[in-house]
C-alpha cells in the first residue's frame, strides 16, 4: 500500500517539476526571468490500475476521459529574487535521436495573397496541325427577322413584254352584309324668332297710277256704261323703312377630334377639324354686330362617366359670362335658358370646356340663340 502511494506521489512530483521547468522555459523565451508566474494548470489524471497516477496537461474546459479525473493546481507563487549565475556545466553526451512525433493537425488556411504582377508574354508557340472536322452541331433557332433595308434606286424600265392571254373571268363574289345604320345625331335647338318690326306709317295716297295688267277674266257681268278715262296721277313718295327686329340669330362651334380631359379647352365659333385649343386667343372670334343671347346648349360625343363632369361656359373678351351648364354621368348634353349674355360689336366670343375627375375625352359642340 505504501509503495503504491509513494509511487503515485513520485509520479506527481516528477510532473510538478516538469511543469515548473516548462514555466521557467516560457519565462526565458519572453525575456522576463524573475517575473511573477501565476495561473491555473489544467490536467487529466488516470485513476485506473493500468497507468494510474499518470497526468496529461490539457487546455481549460477540456472534458477528461472516462478513466481520468480533473487535476488542476496553481502554477506557483510569486517569483523569488534572481540567484547568482552558476558555473557552466560540462557538456553532456549527445542523446539518442528520439522517434519521429506524430504529424500535427493541419493548420488553418492562410489568407489569399494579392495577385502578382502580370508576367511577360511568352513566345508564340508553333501552329498546331489542323484538327479533324467536328460533327455538325444541331441547327440553331431561326433568328428574328432583320430590319427592312432601305429601298434601292429604281432600275431602268424593262422592255414591254408580250401581252398575256386574258384569264377567265372569276366568279362574282357574294354580296357583303349591309352595315348597321349609324345613330342620328341630336337636332340642334331652333333659336327663337325675333319679333316683327313695327309697320312704318302709311304714305299719302298718290294719284291713280297707270292701268295694271289685265287680270283673269271673271264671269261676265252686266254691261255697265263706259266711263271716261281719268288722267294718270304722279307716283307718291316712298314711306320710311320700318325699325329692324331685335333677333340676334344663332352662333355655334364644334370640334371634330376629342378635347383633352386634363386641362381647360377653348372652342371658337365654326367647324374646328382639330380638338380646340388650350390657348384661348387662337380660337376666340370677334362678333360683327351687337346682340343679346338668352339660350345656351352644349353637347359632347359620349357620356363623361360616373362621378365625372364637363362644364361648358360662354366667354366674352376672355372672361366667363352667365351662360353656363354642366354634363355629368350618363348625360351627353346640357342647356341654360335662364341667363343672358350681351355682346357689342368687336367683342370676342368662344366657349371654355373644363373637365372634372378626368371625364372620357370626346368631341364637343355648342350653340347660342338670341
Amino acid at each position: 500500500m505504501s509503495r503504491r502511494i509513494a509511487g503515485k506521489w513520485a509520479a506527481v512530483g516528477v510532473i510538478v517539476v516538469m511543469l515548473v521547468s516548462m514555466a521557467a522555459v516560457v519565462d526565458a523565451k519572453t525575456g522576463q526571468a524573475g517575473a511573477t508566474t501565476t495561473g491555473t494548470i489544467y490536467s487529466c489524471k488516470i485513476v485506473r490500475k493500468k497507468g494510474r497516477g499518470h497526468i496529461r496537461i490539457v487546455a481549460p474546459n477540456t472534458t477528461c476521459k472516462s478513466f481520468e479525473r480533473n487535476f488542476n493546481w496553481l502554477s506557483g507563487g510569486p517569483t523569488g529574487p534572481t540567484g547568482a549565475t552558476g558555473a557552466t556545466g560540462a557538456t553532456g553526451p549527445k542523446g539518442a535521436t528520439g522517434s519521429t512525433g506524430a504529424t500535427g493537425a493541419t493548420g488553418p488556411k492562410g489568407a489569399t495573397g494579392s495577385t502578382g504582377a502580370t508576367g511577360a508574354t511568352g513566345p508564340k508557340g508553333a501552329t498546331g496541325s489542323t484538327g479533324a472536322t467536328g460533327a455538325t452541331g444541331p441547327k440553331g433557332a431561326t433568328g428574328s427577322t432583320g430590319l427592312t433595308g432601305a429601298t434601292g434606286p429604281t432600275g431602268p424600265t424593262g422592255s414591254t413584254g408580250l401581252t398575256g392571254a386574258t384569264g377567265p373571268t372569276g366568279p362574282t363574289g357574294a354580296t357583303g352584309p349591309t352595315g348597321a345604320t349609324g345613330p342620328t345625331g341630336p337636332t340642334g335647338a331652333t333659336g327663337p324668332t325675333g319679333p316683327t318690326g313695327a309697320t312704318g306709317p302709311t304714305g299719302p295716297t298718290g294719284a291713280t297710277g297707270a292701268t295694271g295688267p289685265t287680270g283673269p277674266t271673271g264671269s261676265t257681268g252686266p254691261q255697265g256704261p263706259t266711263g271716261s278715262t281719268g288722267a294718270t296721277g304722279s307716283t307718291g313718295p316712298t314711306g320710311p323703312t320700318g325699325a329692324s327686329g331685335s333677333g340676334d340669330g344663332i352662333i355655334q362651334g364644334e370640334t371634330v377630334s376629342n378635347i383633352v380631359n386634363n386641362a381647360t379647352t377653348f372652342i371658337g365659333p365654326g367647324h374646328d377639324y382639330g380638338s380646340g385649343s388650350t390657348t384661348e386667343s387662337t380660337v376666340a372670334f370677334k362678333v360683327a354686330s351687337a346682340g343679346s343671347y338668352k339660350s345656351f346648349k352644349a353637347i359632347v360625343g359620349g357620356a363623361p362617366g360616373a362621378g365625372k363632369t364637363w362644364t361648358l361656359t360662354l366667354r366674352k373678351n376672355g372672361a366667363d359670362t352667365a351662360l353656363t351648364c354642366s354634363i355629368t354621368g350618363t348625360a351627353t348634353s346640357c342647356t341654360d335658358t335662364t341667363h343672358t349674355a350681351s355682346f357689342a360689336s368687336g367683342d370676342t366670343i368662344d366657349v371654355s370646356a373644363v373637365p372634372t375627375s378626368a371625364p372620357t375625352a370626346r368631341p364637343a359642340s355648342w350653340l347660342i340663340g338670341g
Side-chain angles (χ1 to χ4, degrees):
M1 180 67 175
S2 61
R3 290 181 180 177
R4 292 181 180 176
I5 293 173
K8 177 174 73 174
W9 286 109
V12 172
V14 171
I15 292 172
V16 170
V17 171
M18 292 174 62
L19 291 174
V20 172
S21 300
M22 291 170 64
V25 172
V26 171
D27 288 341
K29 288 184 177 180
T30 60
Q32 296 179 353
T36 301
T37 303
T38 60
T40 302
I41 297 175
Y42 301 89
S43 67
C44 289
K45 173 185 173 185
I46 298 176
V47 296
R48 291 184 182 174
K49 183 176 181 180
K50 184 176 181 181
R52 180 178 295 171
H54 289 275
I55 294 177
R56 62 187 180 91
I57 306 303
V58 297
N61 301 322
T62 299
T63 301
C64 293
K65 298 179 180 179
S66 60
F67 53 83
E68 296 175 326
R69 289 186 182 174
N70 289 329
F71 190 72
N72 307 327
W73 63 90
L74 294 175
S75 61
T79 304
T82 304
T85 303
T88 302
T91 302
K94 181 178 179 180
T97 302
S99 58
T100 303
T103 302
T106 302
K109 180 179 180 181
T112 302
S114 57
T115 304
T118 304
T121 304
K124 181 177 179 181
T127 302
S129 57
T130 303
T133 302
T136 302
K139 181 178 180 180
T142 302
S144 57
T145 304
L147 299 175
T148 302
T151 304
T154 304
T157 304
S159 58
T160 304
L162 298 175
T163 302
T166 302
T169 302
T172 302
T175 301
T178 302
T181 302
T184 302
T187 302
T190 301
T193 303
T196 303
T199 303
T202 304
T205 303
T208 303
T211 302
T214 303
T217 303
S219 58
T220 304
Q223 173 134 9
T226 302
S228 60
T229 303
T232 302
S234 61
T235 303
T238 303
T241 303
S244 298
S246 61
D248 294 304
I250 295 174
I251 301 177
Q252 65 179 17
E254 62 181 345
T255 69
V256 173
S257 301
N258 295 338
I259 59 177
V260 297
N261 65 354
N262 59 359
T264 299
T265 298
F266 298 97
I267 307 168
H271 185 79
D272 185 345
Y273 285 97
S275 55
S277 175
T278 56
T279 303
E280 186 172 18
S281 61
T282 63
V283 297
F285 192 80
K286 291 184 178 180
V287 296
S289 59
S292 295
Y293 300 94
K294 303 174 183 178
S295 63
F296 175 67
K297 182 171 185 177
I299 303 170
V300 292
K308 302 176 181 182
T309 301
W310 286 109
T311 300
L312 291 94
T313 304
L314 182 66
R315 289 171 64 83
K316 178 177 75 173
N317 297 331
D320 290 346
T321 68
L323 286 171
T324 183
C325 64
S326 297
I327 305 172
T328 302
T330 59
T332 57
S333 66
C334 64
T335 58
D336 180 358
T337 58
T338 61
H339 299 96
T340 300
S342 298
F343 287 77
S345 176
D347 285 344
T348 62
I349 187 171
D350 64 280
V351 168
S352 65
V354 180
T356 301
S357 301
T360 304
R362 304 287 189 184
S365 61
W366 58 270
L367 175 76
I368 57 172

